[in-house]
Amino acid sequence: PRTFPLAHALHNLVMVPKLRRLLIGCDAVHFLGSGPELLGFAAAAAARLLGVPFLVEPALHPGQWGDSWIDVRLYRQADRVLAHTEAERQVLERLGIPAERVSVVLHGVDPQEGGDGQRFRERHAIPAAAPLILFLGRKTREKGVLRLLGAFRRIRDAVPEVRLVLAGPSAGAIPRSAEVGVLDLSDLSEAQKQDALAACALLCVPSEGESFGLVYHEAWFYGKAVVALDLPALRESVAANGGGLLVSEDPASLEEALLSLLRDPQRARAMGERGRGVALRHSWASAIESYRLAYRQTCGDHR
């Protein structure tokens, strides 16, 4: 906080004139991000000089990022803050953003269903009969990869044929030693990711912070059940629609949820199908219309 005024002034000195030239003729300025990168403050200043409204679309992971003092300072400069869930709206209001300046917009999801599960299994020598738990994301403590590994070691004793695929950037967060039944892959191409989603029995990303949960919707397009931590944003999608199971931070809770779905594939498939209905509601056409409405409201209020 003490160095912010200087950093803010220097950043604006360089960036605001450039942004002002780039943004001439626009009807609104929409910033995607939060406070620490400082670009949002420069964008807000440029919008004021141009006389157009300023919108911020953050990615709120309460307790991790998006809710610090510098983020709040940026949000308060916005004519409108865009949230992706009602839970996110409530967080913004608790941070002091007036309710009339917060809009909930839909997150568009690409409807992918073209993955080849058999191809993925053949490429990585995974037996066709082996149930596969998939983790997609950054392999960090916050994303829950260590929590999942711990649960898997105990699940493996009960279901010896089970496999766990960890796919995503490692960021030095997980042990590199070989684990029985664990396939540790780096970041996948889009086609490889779709193959992995088609191959898995269920998706488990027990992340400690989610503002929307795009990866769960991607799994639902393949009719796959999901397992995640009990977070406010996920109660609106996973719990409310029955597309999977939400668990507590207790390791036994995660282990129990995974085992219950592995032992009851029919139940897992039914959850995945309910989840597919949720994902289908997040079409790009619906998302675009929700953003367009937010823009219209913001520009109207600004005038």
Side-chain angles (χ1 to χ4, degrees):
R2 288 194 300 271
T3 59
F4 172 76
L6 177 60
H8 176 259
L10 291 173
H11 192 271
N12 276 15
L13 183 67
V14 174
M15 294 303 299
V16 171
K18 297 180 179 181
L19 288 174
R20 186 181 182 185
R21 289 195 297 271
L22 286 170
L23 298 173
I24 288 174
C26 74
D27 296 302
V29 175
H30 178 161
F31 176 69
L32 176 63
S34 51
E37 59 264 41
L38 295 180
L39 183 61
F41 294 99
R48 284 194 297 272
L49 289 171
L50 293 167
V52 298
F54 175 62
L55 301 90
V56 176
E57 182 179 356
L60 279 173
H61 290 198
Q64 294 181 352
W65 66 79
D67 59 350
S68 70
W69 66 269
I70 193 171
D71 299 311
V72 174
R73 187 163 181 161
L74 174 64
Y75 306 155
R76 287 176 176 167
Q77 295 188 24
D79 296 284
R80 191 165 300 271
V81 184
L82 304 179
H84 293 127
T85 62
E86 286 298 327
E88 199 170 36
R89 176 207 286 273
Q90 292 169 15
V91 171
L92 288 164
E93 292 178 7
R94 286 198 297 271
L95 291 175
I97 310 306
E100 64 273 13
R101 284 165 50 196
V102 181
S103 292
V104 177
V105 292
L106 285 178
H107 200 306
V109 182
D110 288 318
Q112 299 280 358
E113 298 178 77
D116 187 330
Q118 182 177 350
R119 180 169 58 197
F120 183 85
R121 288 177 177 269
E122 290 175 353
R123 178 182 296 138
H124 299 290
I126 301 172
L132 193 160
I133 300 170
L134 177 64
F135 172 94
L136 280 176
R138 290 177 291 106
K139 297 169 193 162
T140 62
R141 185 177 300 277
E142 292 77 16
K143 280 293 182 182
V145 68
L146 297 179
R147 178 180 287 111
L148 176 55
L149 269 172
F152 177 75
R153 293 179 186 121
R154 294 184 292 273
I155 290 169
R156 193 176 54 211
D157 294 335
V159 186
E161 66 275 18
V162 69
R163 299 289 189 275
L164 172 63
V165 173
L166 306 174
S170 290
I174 65 169
R176 304 304 299 174
S177 58
E179 287 261 358
V180 176
V182 177
L183 178 61
D184 184 10
L185 303 176
S186 59
D187 213 5
L188 304 178
S189 69
E190 185 61 31
Q192 291 169 342
K193 183 177 81 170
Q194 300 306 321
D195 287 352
L197 287 166
C200 72
L202 55 93
L203 176 87
C204 181
V205 182
S207 170
E208 295 175 5
E210 292 291 344
S211 62
F212 172 69
L214 178 63
V215 69
Y216 310 113
H217 291 72
E218 291 176 325
W220 282 335
F221 273 116
Y222 286 91
K224 304 304 172 80
V226 304
V227 178
L229 284 192
D230 186 7
L231 302 174
L234 300 184
R235 291 172 199 154
E236 293 181 33
S237 53
V238 178
N241 297 283
L245 297 175
L246 297 184
V247 302
S248 71
E249 294 189 0
D250 178 5
S253 178
L254 178 59
E255 180 184 344
E256 180 182 346
L258 291 170
L259 273 175
S260 70
L261 293 180
L262 290 172
R263 288 170 170 166
D264 192 348
Q266 186 174 351
R267 181 189 180 205
R269 284 193 293 271
M271 286 183 167
E273 286 305 314
R274 287 194 289 271
R276 191 199 300 272
V278 178
L280 288 171
R281 291 202 291 272
H282 287 271
S283 69
W284 280 107
S286 298
I288 288 167
E289 186 53 39
S290 73
Y291 276 86
R292 188 176 287 140
L293 176 61
Y295 289 148
R296 287 197 196 107
Q297 291 173 337
T298 307
C299 290
D301 292 346
H302 193 263
R303 292 193 195 95

